[in-house]
Amino acid sequence: MQTLAHPAPAVPRFAAYVRRHVQRSQDAIASVDALAPTLDAIARALTTCFANGGRAYFFGNGGSAADAQHWAAELSGRFMRERGALAALALPTGLSEMTAIANDYGYDQVFARPLSAFVQPGDVALGISTSGRSPNVLKALSVARERGAITVGFTGRHGGAMPDCCDHIVRVPADVTAHVQEAHAVCGHVICGLVEGYAFGWEDPS
């Protein structure tokens, strides 16, 4: 069993670590400016989907699963204002569903299986994978595209295979997963704010 080290007395090294992390995070977030046209296109696709009675499905693994649940909740609940609910949900919908699908069909099917039952033409399927190589995310995006849904991918610098199966791709130019996810969080909030504005009208920001 590995012995855990106790923290050493505070030394300047910890301050350098904090500065380095914050600077890299700021660099990743600053790159969101250049992604504005893509974020706007995604927000418009989501708004059109909801206006036509469609649904948006969000999915990812680990921290990206948390992002998927977060953004779906911002849309089905609320983001910045009081307004009607929007038909957004994160997949899978529960632990029992996920483990049943993974046990019976394999982990690469945990998102694709429910999507194959529910997704309709004009819906939006948004998959998150910082590497762009998550088999279950790629499989779900492929299934959604086959069924006529609009596919959206969130990934890091290289994008893996995601660009090939996405109508819209958000590629953050960072290599460290944490910094990609930090920029993704900002992108998600920007999209939620745009959707609220497009769907329900713009409010005075003051």
Side-chain angles (χ1 to χ4, degrees):
M1 179 176 172
Q2 182 179 4
T3 301
L4 301 180
H6 293 281
V11 293
R13 183 182 302 168
F14 86 88
Y17 176 86
V18 172
R19 283 196 301 271
R20 184 171 65 251
H21 185 101
V22 170
Q23 184 59 59
R24 291 175 178 174
S25 177
Q26 289 174 336
D27 291 344
I29 291 171
S31 72
V32 172
D33 277 348
L35 299 171
T38 300
L39 301 180
D40 183 64
I42 295 167
R44 289 176 181 272
L46 284 164
T47 304
T48 299
C49 165
F50 296 138
N52 291 335
R55 296 181 178 183
Y57 301 91
F58 297 77
F59 45 92
N61 297 290
S64 296
D67 285 339
Q69 293 180 39
H70 180 180
W71 303 343
E74 301 282 28
L75 294 171
S76 63
R78 72 164 191 170
F79 178 53
M80 297 291 289
R81 57 185 291 187
E82 292 296 335
R83 40 77 174 174
L86 297 169
L89 67 159
L91 297 176
T93 57
L95 182 61
S96 296
E97 179 188 19
M98 181 183 74
T99 53
I101 294 170
N103 184 63
D104 293 341
Y105 299 101
Y107 191 68
D108 64 335
Q109 294 290 328
V110 294
F111 308 130
R113 182 73 177 177
L115 267 182
S116 68
F118 297 120
V119 74
Q120 299 292 322
D123 286 349
V124 174
L126 192 153
I128 313 166
S129 170
T130 57
S131 69
R133 298 191 299 269
S134 302
N136 53 4
V137 172
L138 295 173
K139 179 66 175 177
L141 289 168
S142 296
V143 167
R145 172 171 274 186
E146 290 169 1
R147 284 161 172 73
I150 297 164
T151 52
V152 178
F154 274 66
T155 187
R157 185 188 308 277
H158 301 293
M162 289 190 89
D164 295 333
C165 52
C166 291
D167 299 306
H168 305 287
I169 188 80
V170 174
R171 190 185 300 182
V172 172
D175 300 305
V176 177
T177 296
H179 301 314
V180 175
Q181 290 174 332
E182 287 154 2
H184 280 179
V186 174
C187 291
H189 279 168
V190 168
I191 289 170
C192 290
L194 288 171
V195 169
E196 284 192 339
Y198 287 137
F200 299 99
W202 301 94
E203 293 185 333
D204 184 346
S206 62

